[in-house]
Amino acid sequence: MERETGRGQKAWKLLTELRERSPLIQCITNFVSMDLMANTLLAAGASPAMLHSLQEIPDFTPHAHALCINVGTLSPDWLSSMKSAASLATQLGKPWVLDPVAVSASDFRMKACLELIELKPTVIRGNASEILALSNASMGPDKGVDSSHRSVDAVEAAKSLAQASSAIVAVSGAVDIITDGQQVVGVNNGVAMLQQITATGCAVTALIAAFVAVDSLHAFEATASALSIFGLAGEIGMDMARGPASLRMHLIDSLYGLDQATVFSRVNITNMS
Amino acid sequence: MERETGRGQKAWKLLTELRERSPLIQCITNFVSMDLMANTLLAAGASPAMLHSLQEIPDFTPHAHALCINVGTLSPDWLSSMKSAASLATQLGKPWVLDPVAVSASDFRMKACLELIELKPTVIRGNASEILALSNASMGPDKGVDSSHRSVDAVEAAKSLAQASSAIVAVSGAVDIITDGQQVVGVNNGVAMLQQITATGCAVTALIAAFVAVDSLHAFEATASALSIFGLAGEIGMDMARGPASLRMHLIDSLYGLDQATVFSRVNITNMS
Amino acid sequence: MERETGRGQKAWKLLTELRERSPLIQCITNFVSMDLMANTLLAAGASPAMLHSLQEIPDFTPHAHALCINVGTLSPDWLSSMKSAASLATQLGKPWVLDPVAVSASDFRMKACLELIELKPTVIRGNASEILALSNASMGPDKGVDSSHRSVDAVEAAKSLAQASSAIVAVSGAVDIITDGQQVVGVNNGVAMLQQITATGCAVTALIAAFVAVDSLHAFEATASALSIFGLAGEIGMDMARGPASLRMHLIDSLYGLDQATVFSRVNITNMS
């Protein structure tokens, strides 16, 4: 599979638009990820807003350009807000992205994610075990929130889920997989140590929301671009890192500073179908 | 407008007292900002406490030296705690500071902030759009939590709000504005990139609470000093930063390490009235 | 008191097992500490999971290898989850660790901690004032969440608490104290500046949970090892730090990169009984 040079140009175009337009991204997310998610969005040029109250959704969500929903520290009252905001976003034609963190952790969480998928997310991003579980709607025990399956195993599951849900499905892993149920592309950017930093998966989901906000008509390309840009920032950050905490810092600095030449030459997306 | 050299000496005196007395600052704040707020307070020499339960306020708030209330991720139950703590602080003559984050995001939030202002905050700090909105009590849509108005536009709004509320009002921006309704000073410290880091506004509000805690009789000076000291730490941090994440780190390190000569020579506060 | 060379070998053995087995550690903790706690666990090789909903505990807690409970931002609904998870852990023979943050802040919090202790934690870790307060079950005002008593003062209180609760009791301070009610050891690793970083106490409690997860039959040794390893990472980080924020980064990087020679030569645990 050969790297497609046109993908770098598309990714750069989207990143440039993101920096210019600074879309407002509402995040209803877990407590662990809020800091990194907000800083990722700011570094990319977006405008984050972590409003989660049911009372505020009718007033606020219509002003957001995209919505990011993440079930990492789910509770019943937050689930009500998530459903309300997702429902409103879909109704208003706004893109929204679902991160089904640790979906197999409990029946409550699996049911919540399946209900959210009924509300028509634009994109679903998870690791291989999460996407496999969602696709199978299996309730078995899962090894925490980290992936214990290789992402390539999940290609068929991702395609099935994409077909069933009409969402773009992205599977993070050594190679990230993105599919709309027909096409499949792989993103080869990123470094393994990103998995040693909490909430990097959540942060890239928020970045997908920001990319989709600037080109919701091409959510497939926007999703692949976001994953590639985030992974590329990680690669550049890794050159300066001594461990996961310095990688986290350099990741954000690198995302902020990404330039055209780097994006053109290093975005690495390949066709897999 | 000329830089006033006496302001550096006042700011240093307050910072020194803060480091010596280590006032206990109770923060009822949003989920995004807790980490940076606590680390800002610790780096400045204060003792942060993030207690928010209604059950704990009658026992704990009387021991705090100041209270910081921030509505960034407001919900009805947290609002009850905020009102209870604010009411108790005012009753006990303790200073408290309000950060009306994204006050225009919803009617619920605007109403909450107006109710909190009834409870007599010592200081209100926001960005220009927040202070304008509060001053106008207008309900229009707002572009997220970041300022889309220049702070100088907000001088008149800040004076009106200060007169109506009897609070010191601070408006963050390229130049920070502080007013008690009559006097107006501008703080010229700070760097633009601080806005690319989530929760720096929240953090400086907490620092104002700490400064006011050590000299509540001169809340106007204490507020200007806190904004200047935070901005100065940002300036020093900026010399070492490669982007927003490294700036965040160097900001806190610089705040921790600020010395007399630097504060004397670089605090930059000017009279504007 | 002489440094015991065998302790370094034990600590290295436990750290190696932790890295190999990657135990799943459920944390029901405060909002301030979630980020640092998760990153500490990841850097040490463990797998963190911040699930806190009552609905999820029956499904999820049986899959965790240890549980970490921290009352820093306690509220009644979170307390219900803490009790449910602690009760289930004890029933299933899983180790769990309690961090009684600011236990004297309110009657509500003291009562909550005493009820949690009834559920038989494997380890209780606090600072000297917290352990003294718990041991005395005194309700007096406390200076926030930071220690205002030296840890050596707390040795007798720790022994009493350990005897009354059947838990290992650890007291953080310039020298960390660990006791099972009979034996007492001191951990001499660590640097003072760790106290200027929020949630380092919470993070080391989570690390204790991870160490106890890999050797629950020797919780006393595991607790001492965790405190020593964390302190040692702080010492190494301190060589590169310019202040508390850079220390925080280097602490995590150093924890991630700890090697056998360093652990063997620098773990500094002494017998005190």
Side-chain angles (χ1 to χ4, degrees):
Chain A
M1 292 174 294
E2 206 171 321
R3 175 179 170 271
E4 308 225 320
T5 51
R7 302 281 190 175
Q9 284 148 304
K10 286 178 190 166
W12 177 251
K13 184 168 175 293
L14 287 170
L15 180 59
T16 302
E17 286 184 32
L18 177 52
R19 289 171 174 177
E20 285 168 2
R21 289 203 228 158
S22 193
L24 179 61
I25 311 301
Q26 183 181 4
C27 303
I28 308 184
T29 186
N30 69 71
F31 301 118
V32 192
S33 70
M34 287 188 184
D35 177 280
L36 188 63
M37 191 179 281
N39 280 318
T40 297
L41 288 170
L42 284 168
S47 189
M50 267 63 185
L51 290 84
H52 71 279
S53 288
L54 199 54
Q55 286 79 0
E56 300 201 276
I57 287 166
D59 288 351
F60 185 76
T61 303
H63 298 292
H65 299 102
L67 176 67
C68 174
I69 289 184
N70 177 306
V71 300
T73 54
L74 194 65
S75 59
D77 53 340
W78 282 63
L79 179 57
S80 300
S81 295
M82 290 173 185
K83 286 183 185 175
S84 171
S87 181
L88 187 53
T90 294
Q91 189 187 315
L92 297 172
K94 289 177 192 293
W96 71 276
V97 181
L98 175 65
D99 193 329
V101 178
V103 61
S104 303
S106 71
D107 289 355
F108 168 70
R109 191 175 291 228
M110 175 60 82
K111 186 163 173 288
C113 287
L114 295 173
E115 289 168 355
L116 286 163
I117 289 172
E118 294 284 310
L119 299 174
K120 298 289 172 202
T122 314
V123 185
I124 304 168
R125 190 219 60 89
N127 61 32
S129 60
E130 290 157 356
I131 298 301
L132 281 163
L134 264 185
S135 195
N136 298 333
S138 71
M139 305 294 163
D142 193 34
K143 191 169 192 299
V145 298
D146 295 316
S147 181
S148 53
H149 297 88
R150 284 178 41 226
S151 62
V152 288
D153 297 339
V155 173
E156 289 313 310
K159 287 176 78 169
S160 302
L161 180 60
Q163 287 158 12
S165 65
S166 306
I168 308 298
V169 174
V171 188
S172 292
V175 177
D176 302 321
I177 305 295
I178 300 98
T179 183
D180 59 3
Q182 308 296 326
Q183 308 175 72
V184 184
V185 298
V187 171
N188 305 291
N189 296 106
V191 292
M193 197 187 277
L194 288 171
Q195 293 180 50
Q196 303 310 116
I197 309 168
T198 198
T200 47
C202 309
V204 80
T205 301
L207 193 64
I208 290 170
F211 271 75
V212 172
V214 296
D215 191 3
S216 61
L217 295 178
H218 303 92
F220 182 81
E221 287 296 334
T223 300
S225 292
L227 284 159
S228 177
I229 289 290
F230 191 81
L232 176 51
E235 291 172 17
I236 296 168
M238 194 67 202
D239 291 339
M240 293 172 280
R242 293 163 176 260
S246 50
L247 176 57
R248 175 180 159 147
M249 181 179 77
H250 293 304
L251 165 76
I252 297 296
D253 280 1
S254 299
L255 178 58
Y256 178 81
L258 273 181
D259 61 27
Q260 187 179 22
T262 306
V263 172
F264 272 35
S265 63
R266 294 182 60 178
V267 159
N268 192 339
I269 302 175
T270 51
N271 283 325
M272 298 180 69
S273 61
Chain B
M1 293 175 296
E2 207 172 319
R3 176 180 169 269
E4 308 224 322
T5 51
R7 302 281 191 174
Q9 283 150 304
K10 286 178 190 166
W12 177 252
K13 184 167 176 294
L14 288 170
L15 180 60
T16 303
E17 286 184 33
L18 177 51
R19 289 172 173 176
E20 283 168 2
R21 289 202 227 160
S22 193
L24 179 60
I25 311 300
Q26 183 182 4
C27 303
I28 308 183
T29 186
N30 69 73
F31 301 119
V32 191
S33 70
M34 286 187 184
D35 177 281
L36 187 63
M37 192 179 280
N39 281 317
T40 298
L41 288 170
L42 285 167
S47 190
M50 268 64 185
L51 289 85
H52 70 280
S53 289
L54 200 54
Q55 287 78 359
E56 300 199 277
I57 287 166
D59 288 352
F60 185 76
T61 303
H63 299 293
H65 299 102
L67 176 68
C68 174
I69 288 185
N70 177 307
V71 300
T73 55
L74 194 66
S75 58
D77 53 341
W78 282 63
L79 178 57
S80 299
S81 294
M82 289 173 188
K83 286 183 185 174
S84 169
S87 181
L88 187 51
T90 294
Q91 189 186 316
L92 297 172
K94 290 177 192 291
W96 72 277
V97 180
L98 174 65
D99 194 327
V101 179
V103 61
S104 303
S106 71
D107 288 354
F108 169 70
R109 192 177 290 229
M110 174 60 81
K111 186 164 172 289
C113 288
L114 294 175
E115 289 168 355
L116 286 164
I117 290 173
E118 295 283 312
L119 299 173
K120 299 288 171 200
T122 314
V123 184
I124 303 169
R125 189 219 60 91
N127 61 32
S129 59
E130 290 157 356
I131 298 302
L132 281 164
L134 263 185
S135 195
N136 298 333
S138 72
M139 304 293 163
D142 193 35
K143 191 168 191 299
V145 298
D146 295 317
S147 182
S148 54
H149 298 88
R150 286 178 40 226
S151 63
V152 286
D153 297 340
V155 173
E156 289 312 310
K159 287 176 79 169
S160 302
L161 181 59
Q163 287 159 13
S165 66
S166 305
I168 306 298
V169 174
V171 188
S172 292
V175 177
D176 302 320
I177 304 295
I178 299 98
T179 183
D180 60 3
Q182 308 296 326
Q183 308 175 72
V184 184
V185 298
V187 171
N188 305 291
N189 296 106
V191 293
M193 196 185 276
L194 288 171
Q195 293 181 49
Q196 303 310 118
I197 310 168
T198 198
T200 48
C202 310
V204 79
T205 301
L207 193 63
I208 290 170
F211 271 74
V212 171
V214 296
D215 192 3
S216 61
L217 295 179
H218 303 92
F220 182 81
E221 287 297 333
T223 300
S225 292
L227 284 159
S228 178
I229 289 290
F230 191 81
L232 177 52
E235 291 172 18
I236 297 168
M238 195 67 203
D239 291 339
M240 292 173 278
R242 292 162 176 261
S246 51
L247 176 56
R248 176 179 158 148
M249 180 180 78
H250 293 305
L251 166 76
I252 298 297
D253 280 1
S254 299
L255 178 58
Y256 178 80
L258 274 181
D259 60 27
Q260 187 179 22
T262 306
V263 173
F264 272 35
S265 63
R266 293 181 61 177
V267 159
N268 191 340
I269 302 175
T270 51
N271 283 325
M272 297 181 71
S273 59
Chain C
M1 290 173 298
E2 206 172 321
R3 176 181 169 268
E4 307 225 322
T5 53
R7 303 281 191 173
Q9 283 149 304
K10 287 178 190 167
W12 176 251
K13 183 167 176 295
L14 288 170
L15 180 59
T16 302
E17 286 184 32
L18 178 51
R19 288 171 174 176
E20 284 168 3
R21 291 202 225 159
S22 193
L24 179 60
I25 311 300
Q26 183 181 4
C27 303
I28 308 183
T29 186
N30 69 74
F31 301 118
V32 192
S33 71
M34 287 187 184
D35 177 280
L36 187 63
M37 192 179 280
N39 280 318
T40 297
L41 288 170
L42 284 167
S47 190
M50 267 64 184
L51 290 84
H52 71 279
S53 288
L54 200 55
Q55 287 78 0
E56 301 200 276
I57 287 165
D59 288 352
F60 185 75
T61 303
H63 298 292
H65 298 102
L67 176 67
C68 173
I69 289 185
N70 176 306
V71 299
T73 55
L74 194 65
S75 58
D77 52 340
W78 282 63
L79 178 58
S80 299
S81 295
M82 290 173 186
K83 285 184 186 175
S84 170
S87 180
L88 187 52
T90 294
Q91 189 186 314
L92 297 172
K94 289 178 191 292
W96 72 278
V97 180
L98 174 66
D99 193 328
V101 178
V103 62
S104 303
S106 71
D107 288 354
F108 169 70
R109 191 175 291 229
M110 174 60 81
K111 186 163 171 291
C113 287
L114 295 174
E115 288 168 357
L116 286 163
I117 290 172
E118 294 283 312
L119 299 172
K120 299 288 170 201
T122 314
V123 184
I124 304 168
R125 189 220 60 90
N127 61 33
S129 59
E130 290 157 356
I131 298 302
L132 281 164
L134 264 185
S135 195
N136 297 333
S138 72
M139 303 297 162
D142 194 33
K143 191 167 189 304
V145 299
D146 296 317
S147 182
S148 52
H149 297 88
R150 284 177 43 225
S151 62
V152 287
D153 298 339
V155 174
E156 289 312 310
K159 287 177 78 169
S160 301
L161 181 60
Q163 286 159 11
S165 65
S166 306
I168 307 298
V169 174
V171 188
S172 291
V175 177
D176 303 320
I177 304 295
I178 300 98
T179 183
D180 60 2
Q182 308 297 325
Q183 307 175 72
V184 184
V185 297
V187 171
N188 305 292
N189 296 107
V191 293
M193 197 186 276
L194 288 170
Q195 293 181 49
Q196 303 310 118
I197 310 168
T198 198
T200 47
C202 309
V204 78
T205 301
L207 193 64
I208 290 170
F211 271 74
V212 171
V214 296
D215 192 3
S216 62
L217 295 179
H218 302 91
F220 182 81
E221 287 297 333
T223 301
S225 292
L227 284 160
S228 177
I229 288 290
F230 191 81
L232 176 52
E235 291 172 18
I236 296 167
M238 194 68 203
D239 291 339
M240 293 173 279
R242 293 163 176 261
S246 51
L247 175 56
R248 176 179 156 148
M249 180 179 77
H250 293 305
L251 165 77
I252 297 296
D253 280 1
S254 299
L255 177 59
Y256 179 80
L258 273 181
D259 61 26
Q260 186 179 23
T262 305
V263 172
F264 272 35
S265 63
R266 293 182 60 177
V267 159
N268 191 339
I269 301 175
T270 50
N271 284 325
M272 296 180 71
S273 59

